[in-house]
PDB file of all heavy atoms in Angstrom:
ATOM      1  N   ALA E   1      21.456  10.894  15.806  1.00  0.00           N
ATOM      2  CA  ALA E   1      22.397  11.379  16.814  1.00  0.00           C
ATOM      3  C   ALA E   1      23.204  10.210  17.377  1.00  0.00           C
ATOM      4  O   ALA E   1      24.405  10.320  17.597  1.00  0.00           O
ATOM      5  CB  ALA E   1      21.648  12.107  17.925  1.00  0.00           C
ATOM      6  N   ASP E   2      22.545   9.089  17.584  1.00  0.00           N
ATOM      7  CA  ASP E   2      23.211   7.866  18.020  1.00  0.00           C
ATOM      8  C   ASP E   2      23.784   7.212  16.762  1.00  0.00           C
ATOM      9  O   ASP E   2      23.037   6.716  15.917  1.00  0.00           O
ATOM     10  CB  ASP E   2      22.207   6.934  18.709  1.00  0.00           C
ATOM     11  CG  ASP E   2      22.828   5.629  19.177  1.00  0.00           C
ATOM     12  OD1 ASP E   2      24.012   5.372  18.841  1.00  0.00           O
ATOM     13  OD2 ASP E   2      22.140   4.874  19.868  1.00  0.00           O
ATOM     14  N   GLU E   3      25.074   7.224  16.616  1.00  0.00           N
ATOM     15  CA  GLU E   3      25.712   6.749  15.390  1.00  0.00           C
ATOM     16  C   GLU E   3      25.475   5.271  15.109  1.00  0.00           C
ATOM     17  O   GLU E   3      25.691   4.793  14.008  1.00  0.00           O
ATOM     18  CB  GLU E   3      27.209   7.044  15.431  1.00  0.00           C
ATOM     19  CG  GLU E   3      27.499   8.529  15.400  1.00  0.00           C
ATOM     20  CD  GLU E   3      28.985   8.822  15.469  1.00  0.00           C
ATOM     21  OE1 GLU E   3      29.792   7.879  15.395  1.00  0.00           O
ATOM     22  OE2 GLU E   3      29.329  10.000  15.591  1.00  0.00           O
ATOM     23  N   ARG E   4      25.023   4.525  16.112  1.00  0.00           N
ATOM     24  CA  ARG E   4      24.757   3.099  15.910  1.00  0.00           C
ATOM     25  C   ARG E   4      23.426   2.877  15.208  1.00  0.00           C
ATOM     26  O   ARG E   4      23.145   1.788  14.733  1.00  0.00           O
ATOM     27  CB  ARG E   4      24.758   2.364  17.245  1.00  0.00           C
ATOM     28  CG  ARG E   4      26.111   2.381  17.925  1.00  0.00           C
ATOM     29  CD  ARG E   4      26.013   1.831  19.310  1.00  0.00           C
ATOM     30  NE  ARG E   4      25.188   2.754  20.098  1.00  0.00           N
ATOM     31  CZ  ARG E   4      24.652   2.471  21.272  1.00  0.00           C
ATOM     32  NH1 ARG E   4      24.819   1.292  21.805  1.00  0.00           N
ATOM     33  NH2 ARG E   4      23.937   3.358  21.917  1.00  0.00           N
ATOM     34  N   ALA E   5      22.576   3.892  15.162  1.00  0.00           N
ATOM     35  CA  ALA E   5      21.241   3.753  14.561  1.00  0.00           C
ATOM     36  C   ALA E   5      21.147   4.632  13.318  1.00  0.00           C
ATOM     37  O   ALA E   5      21.763   5.684  13.240  1.00  0.00           O
ATOM     38  CB  ALA E   5      20.167   4.161  15.566  1.00  0.00           C
ATOM     39  N   SER E   6      20.404   4.178  12.366  1.00  0.00           N
ATOM     40  CA  SER E   6      20.132   4.994  11.183  1.00  0.00           C
ATOM     41  C   SER E   6      18.659   4.864  10.852  1.00  0.00           C
ATOM     42  O   SER E   6      17.961   3.996  11.365  1.00  0.00           O
ATOM     43  CB  SER E   6      21.004   4.574  10.004  1.00  0.00           C
ATOM     44  OG  SER E   6      20.746   3.246   9.642  1.00  0.00           O
ATOM     45  N   GLY E   7      18.208   5.744   9.999  1.00  0.00           N
ATOM     46  CA  GLY E   7      16.809   5.743   9.592  1.00  0.00           C
ATOM     47  C   GLY E   7      16.710   5.829   8.087  1.00  0.00           C
ATOM     48  O   GLY E   7      17.701   5.670   7.368  1.00  0.00           O
ATOM     49  N   VAL E   8      15.531   6.117   7.629  1.00  0.00           N
ATOM     50  CA  VAL E   8      15.293   6.197   6.193  1.00  0.00           C
ATOM     51  C   VAL E   8      14.160   7.181   5.955  1.00  0.00           C
ATOM     52  O   VAL E   8      13.270   7.341   6.791  1.00  0.00           O
ATOM     53  CB  VAL E   8      14.984   4.788   5.615  1.00  0.00           C
ATOM     54  CG1 VAL E   8      13.699   4.239   6.151  1.00  0.00           C
ATOM     55  CG2 VAL E   8      14.983   4.787   4.117  1.00  0.00           C
ATOM     56  N   GLU E   9      14.211   7.857   4.809  1.00  0.00           N
ATOM     57  CA  GLU E   9      13.135   8.770   4.427  1.00  0.00           C
ATOM     58  C   GLU E   9      12.933   8.703   2.927  1.00  0.00           C
ATOM     59  O   GLU E   9      13.832   8.291   2.194  1.00  0.00           O
ATOM     60  CB  GLU E   9      13.455  10.199   4.876  1.00  0.00           C
ATOM     61  CG  GLU E   9      14.652  10.808   4.176  1.00  0.00           C
ATOM     62  CD  GLU E   9      15.045  12.176   4.719  1.00  0.00           C
ATOM     63  OE1 GLU E   9      14.526  12.581   5.772  1.00  0.00           O
ATOM     64  OE2 GLU E   9      15.888  12.827   4.079  1.00  0.00           O
ATOM     65  N   LEU E  10      11.750   9.081   2.494  1.00  0.00           N
ATOM     66  CA  LEU E  10      11.469   9.133   1.060  1.00  0.00           C
ATOM     67  C   LEU E  10      12.197  10.321   0.448  1.00  0.00           C
ATOM     68  O   LEU E  10      12.291  11.386   1.056  1.00  0.00           O
ATOM     69  CB  LEU E  10       9.971   9.302   0.798  1.00  0.00           C
ATOM     70  CG  LEU E  10       9.051   8.143   1.137  1.00  0.00           C
ATOM     71  CD1 LEU E  10       7.606   8.534   0.837  1.00  0.00           C
ATOM     72  CD2 LEU E  10       9.422   6.885   0.388  1.00  0.00           C
ATOM     73  N   THR E  11      12.685  10.142  -0.752  1.00  0.00           N
ATOM     74  CA  THR E  11      13.200  11.270  -1.521  1.00  0.00           C
ATOM     75  C   THR E  11      12.000  11.959  -2.178  1.00  0.00           C
ATOM     76  O   THR E  11      10.866  11.452  -2.114  1.00  0.00           O
ATOM     77  CB  THR E  11      14.170  10.791  -2.615  1.00  0.00           C
ATOM     78  OG1 THR E  11      13.440   9.945  -3.519  1.00  0.00           O
ATOM     79  CG2 THR E  11      15.356  10.048  -2.030  1.00  0.00           C
ATOM     80  N   ASP E  12      12.241  13.085  -2.816  1.00  0.00           N
ATOM     81  CA  ASP E  12      11.162  13.737  -3.561  1.00  0.00           C
ATOM     82  C   ASP E  12      10.635  12.809  -4.657  1.00  0.00           C
ATOM     83  O   ASP E  12       9.433  12.728  -4.897  1.00  0.00           O
ATOM     84  CB  ASP E  12      11.638  15.057  -4.174  1.00  0.00           C
ATOM     85  CG  ASP E  12      11.894  16.126  -3.127  1.00  0.00           C
ATOM     86  OD1 ASP E  12      11.398  15.995  -1.984  1.00  0.00           O
ATOM     87  OD2 ASP E  12      12.606  17.103  -3.447  1.00  0.00           O
ATOM     88  N   THR E  13      11.546  12.081  -5.297  1.00  0.00           N
ATOM     89  CA  THR E  13      11.146  11.117  -6.331  1.00  0.00           C
ATOM     90  C   THR E  13      10.293  10.009  -5.720  1.00  0.00           C
ATOM     91  O   THR E  13       9.289   9.593  -6.306  1.00  0.00           O
ATOM     92  CB  THR E  13      12.396  10.518  -7.010  1.00  0.00           C
ATOM     93  OG1 THR E  13      13.166  11.577  -7.567  1.00  0.00           O
ATOM     94  CG2 THR E  13      12.020   9.524  -8.083  1.00  0.00           C
ATOM     95  N   GLY E  14      10.679   9.542  -4.548  1.00  0.00           N
ATOM     96  CA  GLY E  14       9.917   8.506  -3.857  1.00  0.00           C
ATOM     97  C   GLY E  14       8.536   8.989  -3.452  1.00  0.00           C
ATOM     98  O   GLY E  14       7.550   8.264  -3.594  1.00  0.00           O
ATOM     99  N   ALA E  15       8.461  10.213  -2.947  1.00  0.00           N
ATOM    100  CA  ALA E  15       7.170  10.773  -2.552  1.00  0.00           C
ATOM    101  C   ALA E  15       6.253  10.911  -3.769  1.00  0.00           C
ATOM    102  O   ALA E  15       5.057  10.603  -3.695  1.00  0.00           O
ATOM    103  CB  ALA E  15       7.362  12.128  -1.870  1.00  0.00           C
ATOM    104  N   ALA E  16       6.811  11.336  -4.894  1.00  0.00           N
ATOM    105  CA  ALA E  16       6.016  11.460  -6.128  1.00  0.00           C
ATOM    106  C   ALA E  16       5.564  10.093  -6.618  1.00  0.00           C
ATOM    107  O   ALA E  16       4.411   9.920  -7.046  1.00  0.00           O
ATOM    108  CB  ALA E  16       6.828  12.178  -7.204  1.00  0.00           C
ATOM    109  N   ALA E  17       6.450   9.098  -6.556  1.00  0.00           N
ATOM    110  CA  ALA E  17       6.089   7.741  -6.983  1.00  0.00           C
ATOM    111  C   ALA E  17       4.979   7.175  -6.099  1.00  0.00           C
ATOM    112  O   ALA E  17       4.032   6.554  -6.598  1.00  0.00           O
ATOM    113  CB  ALA E  17       7.311   6.828  -6.937  1.00  0.00           C
ATOM    114  N   LEU E  18       5.072   7.409  -4.791  1.00  0.00           N
ATOM    115  CA  LEU E  18       4.044   6.924  -3.879  1.00  0.00           C
ATOM    116  C   LEU E  18       2.717   7.618  -4.144  1.00  0.00           C
ATOM    117  O   LEU E  18       1.663   6.978  -4.150  1.00  0.00           O
ATOM    118  CB  LEU E  18       4.487   7.134  -2.429  1.00  0.00           C
ATOM    119  CG  LEU E  18       3.630   6.495  -1.360  1.00  0.00           C
ATOM    120  CD1 LEU E  18       3.500   4.992  -1.567  1.00  0.00           C
ATOM    121  CD2 LEU E  18       4.202   6.789   0.020  1.00  0.00           C
ATOM    122  N   GLN E  19       2.760   8.904  -4.410  1.00  0.00           N
ATOM    123  CA  GLN E  19       1.534   9.642  -4.720  1.00  0.00           C
ATOM    124  C   GLN E  19       0.882   9.108  -5.996  1.00  0.00           C
ATOM    125  O   GLN E  19      -0.342   8.977  -6.065  1.00  0.00           O
ATOM    126  CB  GLN E  19       1.839  11.136  -4.874  1.00  0.00           C
ATOM    127  CG  GLN E  19       0.615  11.988  -5.066  1.00  0.00           C
ATOM    128  CD  GLN E  19       0.946  13.475  -5.087  1.00  0.00           C
ATOM    129  OE1 GLN E  19       2.088  13.877  -4.899  1.00  0.00           O
ATOM    130  NE2 GLN E  19      -0.048  14.295  -5.325  1.00  0.00           N
ATOM    131  N   THR E  20       1.679   8.765  -6.980  1.00  0.00           N
ATOM    132  CA  THR E  20       1.167   8.180  -8.217  1.00  0.00           C
ATOM    133  C   THR E  20       0.596   6.787  -7.965  1.00  0.00           C
ATOM    134  O   THR E  20      -0.435   6.405  -8.530  1.00  0.00           O
ATOM    135  CB  THR E  20       2.289   8.099  -9.277  1.00  0.00           C
ATOM    136  OG1 THR E  20       2.753   9.417  -9.548  1.00  0.00           O
ATOM    137  CG2 THR E  20       1.802   7.445 -10.555  1.00  0.00           C
ATOM    138  N   ALA E  21       1.250   6.024  -7.104  1.00  0.00           N
ATOM    139  CA  ALA E  21       0.846   4.632  -6.852  1.00  0.00           C
ATOM    140  C   ALA E  21      -0.420   4.521  -6.011  1.00  0.00           C
ATOM    141  O   ALA E  21      -1.170   3.550  -6.162  1.00  0.00           O
ATOM    142  CB  ALA E  21       1.980   3.890  -6.165  1.00  0.00           C
ATOM    143  N   GLU E  22      -0.669   5.465  -5.128  1.00  0.00           N
ATOM    144  CA  GLU E  22      -1.779   5.326  -4.186  1.00  0.00           C
ATOM    145  C   GLU E  22      -3.141   5.115  -4.847  1.00  0.00           C
ATOM    146  O   GLU E  22      -3.857   4.194  -4.475  1.00  0.00           O
ATOM    147  CB  GLU E  22      -1.800   6.492  -3.207  1.00  0.00           C
ATOM    148  CG  GLU E  22      -0.710   6.341  -2.166  1.00  0.00           C
ATOM    149  CD  GLU E  22      -0.603   7.495  -1.196  1.00  0.00           C
ATOM    150  OE1 GLU E  22      -0.758   8.669  -1.609  1.00  0.00           O
ATOM    151  OE2 GLU E  22      -0.357   7.208  -0.014  1.00  0.00           O
ATOM    152  N   PRO E  23      -3.534   5.925  -5.829  1.00  0.00           N
ATOM    153  CA  PRO E  23      -4.842   5.652  -6.450  1.00  0.00           C
ATOM    154  C   PRO E  23      -4.865   4.327  -7.213  1.00  0.00           C
ATOM    155  O   PRO E  23      -5.892   3.653  -7.252  1.00  0.00           O
ATOM    156  CB  PRO E  23      -5.075   6.842  -7.389  1.00  0.00           C
ATOM    157  CG  PRO E  23      -3.773   7.520  -7.528  1.00  0.00           C
ATOM    158  CD  PRO E  23      -2.938   7.152  -6.346  1.00  0.00           C
ATOM    159  N   LEU E  24      -3.746   3.936  -7.789  1.00  0.00           N
ATOM    160  CA  LEU E  24      -3.672   2.651  -8.481  1.00  0.00           C
ATOM    161  C   LEU E  24      -3.836   1.504  -7.482  1.00  0.00           C
ATOM    162  O   LEU E  24      -4.516   0.521  -7.770  1.00  0.00           O
ATOM    163  CB  LEU E  24      -2.340   2.523  -9.224  1.00  0.00           C
ATOM    164  CG  LEU E  24      -2.069   3.594 -10.283  1.00  0.00           C
ATOM    165  CD1 LEU E  24      -0.649   3.481 -10.804  1.00  0.00           C
ATOM    166  CD2 LEU E  24      -3.084   3.520 -11.406  1.00  0.00           C
ATOM    167  N   TRP E  25      -3.229   1.626  -6.310  1.00  0.00           N
ATOM    168  CA  TRP E  25      -3.355   0.623  -5.256  1.00  0.00           C
ATOM    169  C   TRP E  25      -4.802   0.530  -4.779  1.00  0.00           C
ATOM    170  O   TRP E  25      -5.341  -0.565  -4.637  1.00  0.00           O
ATOM    171  CB  TRP E  25      -2.418   0.963  -4.100  1.00  0.00           C
ATOM    172  CG  TRP E  25      -2.461  -0.031  -2.986  1.00  0.00           C
ATOM    173  CD1 TRP E  25      -3.133   0.096  -1.806  1.00  0.00           C
ATOM    174  CD2 TRP E  25      -1.852  -1.308  -2.950  1.00  0.00           C
ATOM    175  NE1 TRP E  25      -2.966  -1.022  -1.034  1.00  0.00           N
ATOM    176  CE2 TRP E  25      -2.179  -1.905  -1.716  1.00  0.00           C
ATOM    177  CE3 TRP E  25      -1.047  -2.008  -3.847  1.00  0.00           C
ATOM    178  CZ2 TRP E  25      -1.729  -3.164  -1.362  1.00  0.00           C
ATOM    179  CZ3 TRP E  25      -0.599  -3.258  -3.475  1.00  0.00           C
ATOM    180  CH2 TRP E  25      -0.948  -3.823  -2.250  1.00  0.00           C
ATOM    181  N   ARG E  26      -5.424   1.682  -4.558  1.00  0.00           N
ATOM    182  CA  ARG E  26      -6.834   1.681  -4.122  1.00  0.00           C
ATOM    183  C   ARG E  26      -7.715   1.023  -5.178  1.00  0.00           C
ATOM    184  O   ARG E  26      -8.606   0.241  -4.847  1.00  0.00           O
ATOM    185  CB  ARG E  26      -7.310   3.100  -3.828  1.00  0.00           C
ATOM    186  CG  ARG E  26      -6.840   3.632  -2.497  1.00  0.00           C
ATOM    187  CD  ARG E  26      -7.549   4.917  -2.125  1.00  0.00           C
ATOM    188  NE  ARG E  26      -7.361   5.977  -3.107  1.00  0.00           N
ATOM    189  CZ  ARG E  26      -6.374   6.874  -3.081  1.00  0.00           C
ATOM    190  NH1 ARG E  26      -5.489   6.848  -2.114  1.00  0.00           N
ATOM    191  NH2 ARG E  26      -6.285   7.798  -4.004  1.00  0.00           N
ATOM    192  N   ASP E  27      -7.483   1.329  -6.440  1.00  0.00           N
ATOM    193  CA  ASP E  27      -8.267   0.719  -7.525  1.00  0.00           C
ATOM    194  C   ASP E  27      -8.077  -0.796  -7.554  1.00  0.00           C
ATOM    195  O   ASP E  27      -9.042  -1.545  -7.734  1.00  0.00           O
ATOM    196  CB  ASP E  27      -7.885   1.310  -8.885  1.00  0.00           C
ATOM    197  CG  ASP E  27      -8.342   2.747  -9.058  1.00  0.00           C
ATOM    198  OD1 ASP E  27      -9.137   3.246  -8.224  1.00  0.00           O
ATOM    199  OD2 ASP E  27      -7.871   3.386 -10.025  1.00  0.00           O
ATOM    200  N   ALA E  28      -6.845  -1.241  -7.378  1.00  0.00           N
ATOM    201  CA  ALA E  28      -6.570  -2.688  -7.377  1.00  0.00           C
ATOM    202  C   ALA E  28      -7.256  -3.364  -6.195  1.00  0.00           C
ATOM    203  O   ALA E  28      -7.825  -4.455  -6.342  1.00  0.00           O
ATOM    204  CB  ALA E  28      -5.070  -2.931  -7.333  1.00  0.00           C
ATOM    205  N   GLN E  29      -7.226  -2.730  -5.033  1.00  0.00           N
ATOM    206  CA  GLN E  29      -7.882  -3.286  -3.858  1.00  0.00           C
ATOM    207  C   GLN E  29      -9.394  -3.363  -4.068  1.00  0.00           C
ATOM    208  O   GLN E  29     -10.030  -4.361  -3.731  1.00  0.00           O
ATOM    209  CB  GLN E  29      -7.577  -2.438  -2.617  1.00  0.00           C
ATOM    210  CG  GLN E  29      -6.118  -2.439  -2.224  1.00  0.00           C
ATOM    211  CD  GLN E  29      -5.624  -3.827  -1.894  1.00  0.00           C
ATOM    212  OE1 GLN E  29      -6.188  -4.515  -1.060  1.00  0.00           O
ATOM    213  NE2 GLN E  29      -4.564  -4.245  -2.559  1.00  0.00           N
ATOM    214  N   GLU E  30      -9.961  -2.332  -4.642  1.00  0.00           N
ATOM    215  CA  GLU E  30     -11.404  -2.309  -4.911  1.00  0.00           C
ATOM    216  C   GLU E  30     -11.787  -3.383  -5.925  1.00  0.00           C
ATOM    217  O   GLU E  30     -12.791  -4.070  -5.773  1.00  0.00           O
ATOM    218  CB  GLU E  30     -11.830  -0.931  -5.412  1.00  0.00           C
ATOM    219  CG  GLU E  30     -13.302  -0.779  -5.657  1.00  0.00           C
ATOM    220  CD  GLU E  30     -14.151  -0.913  -4.395  1.00  0.00           C
ATOM    221  OE1 GLU E  30     -13.644  -0.638  -3.289  1.00  0.00           O
ATOM    222  OE2 GLU E  30     -15.317  -1.312  -4.512  1.00  0.00           O
ATOM    223  N   MET E  31     -10.956  -3.549  -6.952  1.00  0.00           N
ATOM    224  CA  MET E  31     -11.215  -4.576  -7.951  1.00  0.00           C
ATOM    225  C   MET E  31     -11.223  -5.963  -7.299  1.00  0.00           C
ATOM    226  O   MET E  31     -12.099  -6.783  -7.579  1.00  0.00           O
ATOM    227  CB  MET E  31     -10.160  -4.533  -9.052  1.00  0.00           C
ATOM    228  CG  MET E  31     -10.387  -5.556 -10.152  1.00  0.00           C
ATOM    229  SD  MET E  31      -9.091  -5.558 -11.392  1.00  0.00           S
ATOM    230  CE  MET E  31      -7.771  -6.350 -10.477  1.00  0.00           C
ATOM    231  N   MET E  32     -10.265  -6.218  -6.414  1.00  0.00           N
ATOM    232  CA  MET E  32     -10.213  -7.516  -5.745  1.00  0.00           C
ATOM    233  C   MET E  32     -11.419  -7.703  -4.814  1.00  0.00           C
ATOM    234  O   MET E  32     -11.974  -8.798  -4.743  1.00  0.00           O
ATOM    235  CB  MET E  32      -8.909  -7.673  -4.966  1.00  0.00           C
ATOM    236  CG  MET E  32      -7.692  -7.781  -5.869  1.00  0.00           C
ATOM    237  SD  MET E  32      -7.824  -9.069  -7.139  1.00  0.00           S
ATOM    238  CE  MET E  32      -7.841 -10.539  -6.137  1.00  0.00           C
ATOM    239  N   ARG E  33     -11.821  -6.655  -4.110  1.00  0.00           N
ATOM    240  CA  ARG E  33     -13.014  -6.761  -3.260  1.00  0.00           C
ATOM    241  C   ARG E  33     -14.246  -7.075  -4.098  1.00  0.00           C
ATOM    242  O   ARG E  33     -15.078  -7.900  -3.717  1.00  0.00           O
ATOM    243  CB  ARG E  33     -13.230  -5.467  -2.471  1.00  0.00           C
ATOM    244  CG  ARG E  33     -12.485  -5.429  -1.160  1.00  0.00           C
ATOM    245  CD  ARG E  33     -12.929  -4.266  -0.300  1.00  0.00           C
ATOM    246  NE  ARG E  33     -12.574  -2.973  -0.865  1.00  0.00           N
ATOM    247  CZ  ARG E  33     -11.381  -2.403  -0.761  1.00  0.00           C
ATOM    248  NH1 ARG E  33     -10.416  -2.990  -0.108  1.00  0.00           N
ATOM    249  NH2 ARG E  33     -11.155  -1.228  -1.296  1.00  0.00           N
ATOM    250  N   ASN E  34     -14.366  -6.433  -5.247  1.00  0.00           N
ATOM    251  CA  ASN E  34     -15.506  -6.693  -6.134  1.00  0.00           C
ATOM    252  C   ASN E  34     -15.471  -8.119  -6.677  1.00  0.00           C
ATOM    253  O   ASN E  34     -16.503  -8.754  -6.832  1.00  0.00           O
ATOM    254  CB  ASN E  34     -15.527  -5.691  -7.282  1.00  0.00           C
ATOM    255  CG  ASN E  34     -15.908  -4.307  -6.832  1.00  0.00           C
ATOM    256  OD1 ASN E  34     -16.527  -4.122  -5.774  1.00  0.00           O
ATOM    257  ND2 ASN E  34     -15.513  -3.311  -7.592  1.00  0.00           N
ATOM    258  N   ARG E  35     -14.287  -8.598  -6.984  1.00  0.00           N
ATOM    259  CA  ARG E  35     -14.141  -9.942  -7.524  1.00  0.00           C
ATOM    260  C   ARG E  35     -14.387 -11.024  -6.492  1.00  0.00           C
ATOM    261  O   ARG E  35     -15.010 -12.031  -6.770  1.00  0.00           O
ATOM    262  CB  ARG E  35     -12.721 -10.122  -8.039  1.00  0.00           C
ATOM    263  CG  ARG E  35     -12.611 -10.141  -9.494  1.00  0.00           C
ATOM    264  CD  ARG E  35     -11.202 -10.475  -9.858  1.00  0.00           C
ATOM    265  NE  ARG E  35     -11.232 -10.764 -11.271  1.00  0.00           N
ATOM    266  CZ  ARG E  35     -10.181 -10.884 -12.005  1.00  0.00           C
ATOM    267  NH1 ARG E  35      -8.997 -10.782 -11.464  1.00  0.00           N
ATOM    268  NH2 ARG E  35     -10.291 -11.135 -13.276  1.00  0.00           N
ATOM    269  N   LEU E  36     -13.847 -10.801  -5.303  1.00  0.00           N
ATOM    270  CA  LEU E  36     -13.900 -11.834  -4.277  1.00  0.00           C
ATOM    271  C   LEU E  36     -15.058 -11.658  -3.308  1.00  0.00           C
ATOM    272  O   LEU E  36     -15.418 -12.590  -2.605  1.00  0.00           O
ATOM    273  CB  LEU E  36     -12.590 -11.860  -3.478  1.00  0.00           C
ATOM    274  CG  LEU E  36     -11.341 -12.169  -4.296  1.00  0.00           C
ATOM    275  CD1 LEU E  36     -10.107 -12.007  -3.436  1.00  0.00           C
ATOM    276  CD2 LEU E  36     -11.424 -13.560  -4.897  1.00  0.00           C
ATOM    277  N   GLY E  37     -15.624 -10.482  -3.263  1.00  0.00           N
ATOM    278  CA  GLY E  37     -16.677 -10.209  -2.303  1.00  0.00           C
ATOM    279  C   GLY E  37     -16.094 -10.013  -0.916  1.00  0.00           C
ATOM    280  O   GLY E  37     -14.895 -10.121  -0.695  1.00  0.00           O
ATOM    281  N   ALA E  38     -16.969  -9.755   0.018  1.00  0.00           N
ATOM    282  CA  ALA E  38     -16.527  -9.552   1.401  1.00  0.00           C
ATOM    283  C   ALA E  38     -16.441 -10.907   2.081  1.00  0.00           C
ATOM    284  O   ALA E  38     -17.425 -11.623   2.172  1.00  0.00           O
ATOM    285  CB  ALA E  38     -17.497  -8.643   2.131  1.00  0.00           C
ATOM    286  N   ALA E  39     -15.268 -11.250   2.524  1.00  0.00           N
ATOM    287  CA  ALA E  39     -15.077 -12.523   3.226  1.00  0.00           C
ATOM    288  C   ALA E  39     -14.883 -12.243   4.705  1.00  0.00           C
ATOM    289  O   ALA E  39     -14.172 -11.328   5.083  1.00  0.00           O
ATOM    290  CB  ALA E  39     -13.862 -13.250   2.668  1.00  0.00           C
ATOM    291  N   ASP E  40     -15.549 -13.041   5.533  1.00  0.00           N
ATOM    292  CA  ASP E  40     -15.420 -12.855   6.974  1.00  0.00           C
ATOM    293  C   ASP E  40     -14.111 -13.421   7.505  1.00  0.00           C
ATOM    294  O   ASP E  40     -13.621 -12.992   8.530  1.00  0.00           O
ATOM    295  CB  ASP E  40     -16.597 -13.506   7.711  1.00  0.00           C
ATOM    296  CG  ASP E  40     -17.903 -12.806   7.408  1.00  0.00           C
ATOM    297  OD1 ASP E  40     -17.872 -11.588   7.125  1.00  0.00           O
ATOM    298  OD2 ASP E  40     -18.942 -13.477   7.440  1.00  0.00           O
ATOM    299  N   ASP E  41     -13.566 -14.399   6.833  1.00  0.00           N
ATOM    300  CA  ASP E  41     -12.305 -14.964   7.285  1.00  0.00           C
ATOM    301  C   ASP E  41     -11.528 -15.530   6.110  1.00  0.00           C
ATOM    302  O   ASP E  41     -12.018 -15.634   4.994  1.00  0.00           O
ATOM    303  CB  ASP E  41     -12.524 -16.027   8.368  1.00  0.00           C
ATOM    304  CG  ASP E  41     -13.345 -17.218   7.881  1.00  0.00           C
ATOM    305  OD1 ASP E  41     -13.284 -17.556   6.677  1.00  0.00           O
ATOM    306  OD2 ASP E  41     -14.042 -17.810   8.700  1.00  0.00           O
ATOM    307  N   LEU E  42     -10.302 -15.893   6.373  1.00  0.00           N
ATOM    308  CA  LEU E  42      -9.412 -16.376   5.326  1.00  0.00           C
ATOM    309  C   LEU E  42      -9.909 -17.666   4.686  1.00  0.00           C
ATOM    310  O   LEU E  42      -9.841 -17.829   3.472  1.00  0.00           O
ATOM    311  CB  LEU E  42      -8.007 -16.577   5.897  1.00  0.00           C
ATOM    312  CG  LEU E  42      -6.941 -17.036   4.919  1.00  0.00           C
ATOM    313  CD1 LEU E  42      -6.802 -16.060   3.754  1.00  0.00           C
ATOM    314  CD2 LEU E  42      -5.611 -17.191   5.633  1.00  0.00           C
ATOM    315  N   LEU E  43     -10.437 -18.588   5.462  1.00  0.00           N
ATOM    316  CA  LEU E  43     -10.921 -19.850   4.891  1.00  0.00           C
ATOM    317  C   LEU E  43     -12.067 -19.610   3.918  1.00  0.00           C
ATOM    318  O   LEU E  43     -12.117 -20.218   2.843  1.00  0.00           O
ATOM    319  CB  LEU E  43     -11.350 -20.803   6.000  1.00  0.00           C
ATOM    320  CG  LEU E  43     -10.224 -21.383   6.845  1.00  0.00           C
ATOM    321  CD1 LEU E  43     -10.777 -22.240   7.971  1.00  0.00           C
ATOM    322  CD2 LEU E  43      -9.255 -22.180   5.993  1.00  0.00           C
ATOM    323  N   GLU E  44     -12.954 -18.714   4.263  1.00  0.00           N
ATOM    324  CA  GLU E  44     -14.051 -18.399   3.355  1.00  0.00           C
ATOM    325  C   GLU E  44     -13.511 -17.801   2.062  1.00  0.00           C
ATOM    326  O   GLU E  44     -13.945 -18.148   0.963  1.00  0.00           O
ATOM    327  CB  GLU E  44     -15.021 -17.412   4.022  1.00  0.00           C
ATOM    328  CG  GLU E  44     -16.209 -17.065   3.143  1.00  0.00           C
ATOM    329  CD  GLU E  44     -17.127 -16.030   3.789  1.00  0.00           C
ATOM    330  OE1 GLU E  44     -17.178 -15.951   5.020  1.00  0.00           O
ATOM    331  OE2 GLU E  44     -17.781 -15.316   3.011  1.00  0.00           O
TER     332      GLU E  44
END
């Protein structure tokens, strides 16, 4: 409504791409946790 501001939204293609990516992202995060173990801080 305020012409000085704009926003952004996912398209249907974007929503589908994100849905496809989410399990792959979770798998990658889990793989890294398994590889690196649980670290209490960045230095560790």
Side-chain angles (χ1 to χ4, degrees):
D2 179 352
E3 294 179 8
R4 295 172 294 165
S6 61
V8 65
E9 66 185 11
L10 291 178
T11 62
D12 290 342
T13 302
L18 189 57
Q19 185 175 357
T20 299
E22 284 177 321
L24 300 172
W25 181 259
R26 282 191 301 270
D27 290 349
Q29 295 299 305
E30 183 64 26
M31 182 183 74
M32 292 307 294
R33 273 191 293 279
N34 289 339
R35 253 186 168 168
L36 299 173
D40 293 331
D41 62 30
L42 182 58
L43 290 176
E44 181 183 333

